[in-house]
Amino acid sequence: MKDKSASNSAVRGPLTVSGPTVSPSLSILKKCLFFGGIGIVAMVVLAFIFTDVAGVLSVLFGSLLVVTFFGLSLVVVHLVGKKMPSAVMGVFVLTFLVKAVGFAAILFALGSPDWLNKPWFAGAAVVSVLLWQAGEIAGFLKQRFLFFEEDASSGSADHTSTSALSPGESTTKESSHDV
């Protein structure tokens, strides 16, 4: 089987430099939703088999609560990262605090409704968190980040390599003027 897009199985011309991932937060979000979605479907099926409607609703409520709060931070980081990339970490921490307070407020205000099956709710929340974290790790491992600007480093005409120096040499230029 031959690759029809390649000419004679070799690409001619200069290689292009690949850049950073265009939207890291959204690609991580997609991966997390994939892993989380599989887990939610599996837990709903198990709750349907082993319990009643209350178990299914508890699984959906616990899972969707986790997905909503965890997804919120990725969406906010994506939006802020487009406008002010240097502020991403600060906004991420602020979003974490808002999520923690919001999550606690919802659970406190909701209390324990009659329809809530506590073991299935808690189990679904824990499994959703674990699957979400697995999705974030899997998504983050595929990201490409730009550590330096190619133009900025190649724009200088004074390139010296320290690996080719002999033990007594220095990388600084010394003046040959006599005093």
Side-chain angles (χ1 to χ4, degrees):
M1 183 166 118
K2 284 192 139 191
D3 184 8
K4 294 182 178 161
S5 65
S7 59
N8 296 331
S9 72
V11 179
R12 308 253 191 280
L15 296 174
T16 59
V17 176
S18 60
T21 304
V22 177
S23 178
S25 296
L26 287 184
S27 62
I28 291 172
L29 179 64
K30 289 177 190 175
K31 188 79 75 172
C32 292
L33 289 174
F34 175 74
F35 281 110
I38 290 173
I40 291 171
V41 168
M43 288 182 292
V44 164
V45 168
L46 289 173
F48 181 74
I49 292 170
F50 293 110
T51 66
D52 54 358
V53 175
V56 173
L57 290 176
S58 298
V59 165
L60 286 173
F61 181 62
S63 299
L64 295 178
L65 197 61
V66 168
V67 167
T68 300
F69 277 92
F70 275 66
L72 177 68
S73 59
L74 289 173
V75 170
V76 168
V77 166
H78 169 71
L79 294 175
V80 170
K82 287 173 126 182
K83 305 275 187 211
M84 297 180 301
S86 62
V88 167
M89 286 309 294
V91 170
F92 189 77
V93 170
L94 182 65
T95 305
F96 179 79
L97 293 174
V98 168
K99 286 187 325 183
V101 170
F103 192 79
I106 286 176
L107 292 178
F108 182 72
L110 185 64
S112 181
D114 294 335
W115 58 265
L116 189 69
N117 185 329
K118 292 176 186 175
W120 282 94
F121 172 79
V126 169
V127 169
S128 294
V129 167
L130 294 174
L131 290 173
W132 189 273
Q133 292 300 308
E136 281 189 339
I137 291 169
F140 190 77
L141 288 173
K142 298 290 183 179
Q143 300 304 308
R144 298 177 59 94
F145 295 99
L146 185 64
F147 287 113
F148 60 91
E149 289 288 334
E150 184 69 28
D151 295 338
S153 66
S154 65
S156 172
D158 184 29
H159 286 24
T160 58
S161 173
T162 57
S163 62
L165 296 176
S166 62
E169 284 184 298
S170 167
T171 59
T172 59
K173 292 186 176 183
E174 297 176 1
S175 176
S176 62
H177 296 285
D178 291 346
V179 181

